[in-house]
Amino acid sequence: MSFRVGLGTDIHRLQEGLPLLLAGVRIDHSHGLVGHSDADIVLHAVTDALLGAAGLGDIGEWFPDTDPQWKGADSSLFLTETVKALREGNWAIGNLDIVIHAQKPKLLHYKPTMKQNLSRWLQIEESSINLKAKTGEQVGPVGRGEAMEASVIALIYQTET
Ligand code: MG
């Protein structure tokens, strides 16, 4: 059996009055993330971690933010397309460890729904998905509330070639 790991990160700017989506969950907050698509940093970082693990490049190559097709796009589409590509290479997802860097709001009670969404789109058990939330300790773009960031590591494995 062969194993691969991949790393994905994403950062988007916060702006007052925009909707905030994290792992497909609408979060109640005064600010939302600015982006060409729906700016869901969690889904973007997960997509990049999986593409990286499979040696398939990055999200910008697959879904360019200059392409009008992806304007306002639901980022779960990036994820489900990536899962399809992995399947074609006989890759299965082992586990994901996800860190969301956000000064506010507290994300604890959104975690179960985030996991449910990821589990559905990735077609893996919720127990294979770990979610962590960290503040920016009031320093840097995250700590000053100017941006949110996500970091993800993913393990994939191939049972046949
Ligand atoms: Mg992004």
Side-chain angles (χ1 to χ4, degrees), residues 19-39:
L20 175 62
L21 276 169
L22 295 174
V25 181
R26 178 70 194 264
I27 311 288
D28 187 24
H29 192 44
S30 56
H31 289 61
L33 295 167
V34 181
H36 183 71
S37 66
D38 63 10

Side-chain angles (χ1 to χ4, degrees), residues 51-65:
L51 288 172
L56 292 173
D58 67 44
I59 191 170
E61 293 164 25
W62 282 68
F63 313 102
D65 65 5

Side-chain angles (χ1 to χ4, degrees), residues 19-27 33 38-43 100-102 104-105 107 110 113-115 117-118 121 148-150:
L20 175 62
L21 276 169
L22 295 174
V25 181
R26 178 70 194 264
I27 311 288
L33 295 167
D38 63 10
D40 193 322
I41 48 167
V42 178
L43 301 189
I100 304 170
H101 308 269
K104 328 180 262 208
L107 298 174
Y110 293 106
T113 324
M114 289 185 191
K115 271 194 194 182
N117 283 348
L118 289 165
W121 293 321
M148 283 185 187
E149 197 168 3

